[in-house]
Amino acid sequence: MISQILILALFSISALVSVFNKKAGYILVAISSAIFLALSIYQYDGAISMFSIIASSVWLLSSIFSIQYDNYGKWLSPLYTTTILGMVIILESTNYLSFLAGWEIMTIPSYVAIGLVRKEFRPAFVFMAFSEFSTALILSSFIIASSMTGTFEFTNLVSPIPLIIATFGFMIKMGIFPFLVTEWLPIAHGTAPSNLSAVLSATMTLMGVFGIFKMTTLTLQIPETFSVILMGIGAFTVFFGALYAYVNENIKGILGFSTIENNGAILVALSLLMITKQLQMTEIENIATVIVLLYAFAHSIAKTGLFLSAGLQEGQSITYAKKIRNVEIGLVLLASSMSGLLPNLGGVATWSLLENLFMLSYLLHNVVSTVFIVSGAIIAMGEGFATAMLVRYINYLSLFRNSKEHLSPIKRIPIILAGVLVLILGFTLTYAVYPYSNSESILGMLSKTVILTTYGQSTFGGISPLYIAILITAFSIVAYVVFGKPRIRKTETWNNGVNDQEEYTAFGMANNIR
């Protein structure tokens, strides 16, 4: 209780100070986030604490970046800090009322920032319309839940109705299909200043994940049909989110659709959690919980770094993006994690989700198993598009024809640190939270270094992020020693038959899908 009061006081003071001095506000938010992160790790008590660790990590990185980024006048800083304060209230809430209060405190300043700071009011109105639709559903759910239990405190629910209604409310905030087709999330998040965009895409959508997870843990009986429908919705969201991102020409629009794609994968993991909880398949339920957390962590950190990199651009066209120096390694690591490639944290999450979908389909061996197989296949295709989309993103933002501009450490370090985090956490955090690993040597790999998908006495598969990291490092060193530094070879550019362009455009690169 004392730590909760301390955290709320720190973020409230940060919001107040930011009204008078924006840089001081960002510095205080960074300090408050670091304290919140330290307390969450020290008082760690499972999945709920992990959401606080994820959110505070994002706020720390984005607030440091904001110190030199904010050129939007005096109001962005207080609106930014108040948005974060609302999320802190959500994470610290113990009842429906405080959760709703935090939800609105998080939403309203973001609406003002999107419209007032950038002077673009349509995206702000679109954001607010969908946000209040979300709030209406969540409020209805909480009213039903409190009337059932006779209290506003979070307690177990015998009926799944509050969960079902609230889930759709939280899905709106996450931009999930069918709300994906309105493109409201890329429009709103893309219009906001980049430091706020990072907070919205990385942690405001995380609050939706947190809400669904919270209601799932409280609900005793979850209809299997509802969980299966969610899985299908999540899989289609992964596919179409990645597809839309790949053909998009707007830098922030690409990242907005990428957020939707990742939220779709998290929704599939949540549906896997619901199904296995209802079927009392505790082993897979435990893994599903870990998958949700790994996906959420990987997405939040990577999306923070990527949106911060977008903030270094002067325009929004990816073809004519300014090539950023000094952050190439960070962007490559962030993109590879978001692509679901091992040994990054995103790669571990993607492998675990697909592996457990196929394992559950084998174990149940019924008509519903088809849903798991098809969902896994659709997610795999979506991840392929995501890889192509992110290769396209880092190509045009960083890898080729770099500018001569050198970034200051305050702008550079958060992006690089985000990339390093998703790499290191892939072969450290995974072992800390994953419930099953090998107790004996497997194919020469040391005990406790292989994470396994198991049920009962059967092991279905395993992967070792640590050994993958070691092998990639070793092969890279050998290749460098043998072949030396790569040489650049220039060739004549083919640009879809257009001869008056100096280089291959991002539009042309996406034409194979368009």
Side-chain angles (χ1 to χ4, degrees):
M1 186 64 180
I2 295 176
S3 61
Q4 289 180 331
I5 295 172
L6 172 64
I7 292 301
L8 290 171
L10 285 171
F11 281 98
S12 299
I13 293 170
S14 301
L16 181 62
V17 169
S18 64
V19 175
F20 303 100
N21 188 308
K22 63 181 182 181
K23 287 192 175 182
Y26 288 127
I27 292 170
L28 282 176
V29 171
I31 294 171
S32 302
S33 300
I35 294 172
F36 191 25
L37 175 61
L39 284 173
S40 299
I41 295 173
Y42 178 72
Q43 299 175 347
Y44 183 80
D45 61 354
I48 299 300
S49 293
M50 186 62 75
F51 283 99
S52 298
I53 293 171
I54 296 169
S56 56
S57 300
V58 169
W59 302 334
L60 177 59
L61 293 172
S62 60
S63 297
I64 293 172
F65 180 88
S66 299
I67 295 170
Q68 286 190 352
Y69 166 76
D70 185 357
N71 295 313
Y72 291 91
K74 65 176 291 187
W75 290 112
L76 177 57
S77 181
L79 293 169
Y80 169 95
T81 53
T82 307
T83 297
I84 291 176
L85 173 62
M87 297 185 209
V88 173
I89 294 171
I90 291 172
L91 292 170
E92 296 293 316
S93 62
T94 58
N95 57 70
Y96 298 115
L97 291 178
S98 58
F99 190 105
L100 276 171
W103 194 260
E104 286 301 282
I105 292 171
M106 169 187 73
T107 300
I108 295 173
S110 303
Y111 157 72
V112 176
I114 293 170
L116 181 64
V117 174
R118 295 294 292 267
K119 301 294 190 296
E120 296 185 44
F121 299 105
R122 182 180 175 275
F125 292 147
V126 170
F127 170 82
M128 199 61 178
F130 279 93
S131 293
E132 291 310 304
F133 183 25
S134 167
T135 300
L137 289 174
I138 296 168
L139 175 61
S140 301
S141 166
F142 287 179
I143 290 173
I144 295 171
S146 58
S147 64
M148 286 179 176
T149 59
T151 177
F152 290 113
E153 299 297 317
F154 289 130
T155 54
N156 288 336
L157 301 167
V158 294
S159 170
I161 293 176
L163 168 66
I164 294 172
I165 297 174
T167 295
F168 284 103
F170 292 124
M171 283 167 56
I172 294 174
K173 206 71 162 184
M174 297 162 65
I176 297 293
F177 182 88
F179 307 105
L180 148 72
V181 297
T182 66
E183 301 188 15
W184 80 266
L185 188 149
I187 291 171
H189 292 197
T191 304
S194 290
N195 60 337
L196 183 61
S197 297
V199 169
L200 298 181
S201 276
T203 53
M204 182 175 283
T205 61
L206 179 69
M207 296 303 108
V209 177
F210 175 73
I212 297 174
F213 183 84
K214 185 80 172 179
M215 295 298 290
T216 300
T217 59
L218 296 176
T219 306
L220 300 179
Q221 297 291 327
I222 303 174
E224 187 176 332
T225 302
F226 171 67
S227 305
V228 170
I229 290 172
L230 283 188
M231 182 170 291
I233 292 173
F236 275 106
T237 300
V238 172
F239 181 81
F240 285 106
L243 181 66
Y244 286 11
Y246 184 50
V247 300
N248 203 290
E249 288 296 295
N250 185 287
I251 292 172
K252 287 188 178 180
I254 292 169
L255 298 180
F257 281 116
S258 173
T259 292
I260 294 172
E261 178 255 326
N262 267 252
N263 283 334
I266 295 172
L267 184 64
V268 173
L270 285 165
S271 66
L272 182 66
L273 171 62
M274 294 178 189
I275 292 170
T276 51
K277 178 181 179 180
Q278 179 64 29
L279 297 176
Q280 297 182 346
M281 302 175 77
T282 307
E283 290 174 87
I284 305 179
E285 180 187 349
N286 292 337
I287 297 176
T289 300
V290 171
I291 295 171
V292 171
L293 298 176
L294 293 180
Y295 247 122
F297 213 145
H299 168 255
S300 296
I301 298 298
K303 194 50 58 67
T304 299
L306 291 172
F307 261 114
L308 296 184
S309 72
L312 302 174
Q313 295 298 318
E314 297 169 354
Q316 287 296 310
S317 170
I318 185 171
T319 293
Y320 301 105
K322 178 178 65 176
K323 309 304 187 285
I324 309 167
R325 298 187 69 179
N326 314 122
V327 295
E328 297 92 335
I329 185 63
L331 288 180
V332 169
L333 290 173
L334 293 170
S336 60
S337 179
M338 291 286 289
S339 300
L341 301 179
L342 291 159
N344 297 284
L345 192 59
V348 178
T350 302
W351 173 85
S352 301
L353 178 59
L354 294 175
E355 186 81 359
N356 281 277
L357 284 175
F358 297 137
M359 180 173 69
L360 188 59
S361 70
Y362 175 81
L363 291 170
L364 295 181
H365 206 68
N366 56 26
V367 176
V368 180
S369 298
T370 307
V371 177
F372 304 141
I373 295 172
V374 172
S375 296
I378 292 173
I379 291 170
M381 287 190 291
E383 291 294 344
F385 284 129
T387 300
M389 171 265 295
L390 288 159
V391 166
R392 181 168 170 257
Y393 182 86
I394 61 174
N395 276 350
Y396 284 90
L397 257 70
S398 183
L399 292 188
F400 302 117
R401 205 188 66 182
N402 290 338
S403 69
K404 295 181 180 179
E405 178 185 356
H406 287 271
L407 298 176
S408 67
I410 286 180
K411 287 185 176 180
R412 184 175 71 248
I413 290 174
I415 298 172
I416 296 174
L417 184 57
V420 172
L421 275 174
V422 293
L423 173 62
I424 294 177
L425 291 175
F427 54 85
T428 55
L429 178 67
T430 302
Y431 295 115
V433 300
Y434 204 87
Y436 310 112
S437 60
N438 61 313
S439 57
E440 298 178 355
S441 176
I442 297 178
L443 298 176
M445 291 180 282
L446 299 175
S447 62
K448 307 298 183 183
T449 61
V450 180
I451 60 173
L452 303 171
T453 49
T454 63
Y455 188 77
Q457 301 299 316
S458 300
T459 298
F460 287 80
I463 202 78
S464 176
L466 177 61
Y467 272 76
I468 291 173
I470 293 172
L471 288 173
I472 289 175
T473 302
F475 287 142
S476 299
I477 292 172
V478 170
Y480 187 83
V481 170
V482 174
F483 299 106
K485 185 178 180 180
R487 290 175 293 177
I488 297 174
R489 181 171 61 91
K490 293 185 177 181
T491 62
E492 184 179 348
T493 301
W494 183 84
N495 195 33
N496 291 312
V498 179
N499 297 319
D500 58 352
Q501 304 254 359
E502 293 184 359
E503 62 180 42
Y504 192 54
T505 65
F507 186 89
M509 187 174 179
N511 266 350
N512 61 327
I513 299 300
R514 188 177 288 106

